[in-house]
Amino acid sequence: GREPLAELLLRQALRRSPDHLQSTSHLAMVLAGRGEAVAAEGAFRTALHLDPAHLPSLISYAALLADPPPPSNASLYAGSIPPPTHLVTVLTGGSVEEERRRVAKADSLLRTALHLDPDNVRGLVARGKVLFQLDELHLSEQSLRHALALAPGDWEGLANYGVLLVRGRGDVLNGDQYLQRALHAAPPGPMREAISGLREQVLKNGADDVPDVLRDVDRVRWEDRHKNSDASRAPYT
């Protein structure tokens, strides 16, 4: 298959030149694409040891930390290098504290990446997703809107923003508009199928039910800012 051949060629290149940054980073992406999260993390750490400011490794490693692909979902990642960052999902495995540490580490990597390149669309979308997972809704919205201002047709940004509107705000009308735009913009095949499944799941589940004890000041402020808006006017289109 494509990934085993790519891995073979990359490992051959690394045997000749063990400190080759691009080969190390691409090997990490291939491993992540196949669902081998532990091996991919090791390769990403090696790449960032070689160059702590390597943008593709910073962003792809953050994406892996925030949303490690379980083996059963490996087909969604197959053929996609770097790994997709478009699905806002519930993390799998491990404790809540462990997952939150992983996502916080992802946010740190993305802050480094965006310090180096503030208008990096992929980094902005990835950070929007991570901030959503950390329940920083206002900052998540800022990052995603920045990305979509730079690239209005970016399907990953559209999908993440749609999810934020539905799950974070309960704005099904506008959220679905973004999810539909993401569906049309996504490349045919597994990615488009994934967006279709995501849209169906998000619309079925609706807004997240957050207990009052977990609603911090920033979340309350974000919710209050939107609570009286008229969704039928589609303010975000």
Side-chain angles (χ1 to χ4, degrees):
R2 179 177 173 182
E3 281 69 39
L5 176 60
E7 181 181 354
L8 176 65
L9 295 173
L10 288 166
R11 291 193 184 280
Q12 287 178 347
L14 287 169
R15 279 195 290 271
R16 292 192 297 270
S17 180
D19 293 335
H20 190 264
L21 174 61
Q22 283 73 25
S23 294
T24 303
S25 181
H26 277 89
L27 176 61
M29 295 176 191
V30 168
L31 293 169
R34 204 165 59 231
E36 297 184 21
V38 174
E41 283 191 45
F44 278 130
R45 285 195 294 268
T46 298
L48 291 173
H49 176 75
L50 294 170
D51 181 3
H54 188 239
L55 274 173
S57 294
L58 285 166
I59 297 172
S60 294
Y61 186 20
L64 177 66
L65 288 170
D67 191 12
S72 61
N73 284 354
S75 62
L76 297 182
Y77 293 78
S80 174
I81 299 174
T85 60
H86 61 287
L87 299 182
V88 180
T89 60
V90 177
L91 298 181
T92 57
S95 67
V96 173
E97 293 79 10
E98 178 185 349
E99 291 172 357
R100 193 168 183 87
R101 282 195 297 271
R102 289 176 66 91
V103 177
K105 183 176 180 181
D107 185 45
S108 176
L109 292 168
L110 290 167
R111 280 190 278 111
T112 298
L114 291 170
H115 177 75
L116 295 167
D117 183 5
D119 289 338
N120 187 293
V121 171
R122 185 165 175 255
L124 288 165
V125 171
R127 187 155 192 248
K129 170 186 171 178
V130 164
L131 289 166
F132 180 92
Q133 290 173 289
L134 292 171
D135 204 31
E136 299 282 357
L137 297 183
H138 179 61
L139 294 177
S140 173
E141 184 181 26
Q142 283 185 337
S143 191
L144 292 170
R145 287 174 69 90
H146 185 179
L148 291 172
L150 294 167
D154 183 83
W155 61 279
E156 299 183 22
L158 291 167
N160 273 285
Y161 196 39
V163 171
L164 181 145
L165 290 174
V166 175
R167 288 182 54 188
R169 179 187 165 192
D171 184 352
V172 176
L173 178 64
N174 287 299
D176 189 33
Q177 287 187 4
Y178 277 90
L179 288 166
Q180 289 187 53
R181 287 169 59 188
L183 184 62
H184 292 307
M191 296 305 169
R192 186 170 292 177
E193 292 171 8
I195 293 293
S196 179
L198 174 69
R199 175 175 175 260
E200 181 179 346
Q201 178 186 16
V202 168
L203 295 178
K204 178 181 178 181
N205 294 339
D208 290 345
D209 184 14
V210 180
D212 288 344
V213 69
L214 297 180
R215 295 170 70 251
D216 60 18
V217 173
D218 286 338
R219 183 175 185 116
V220 171
R221 184 182 300 118
W222 191 89
E223 290 173 345
D224 286 346
R225 182 160 62 88
H226 291 302
K227 67 181 180 181
N228 294 318
S229 63
D230 180 4
S232 67
R233 296 176 62 188
Y236 292 114
T237 55

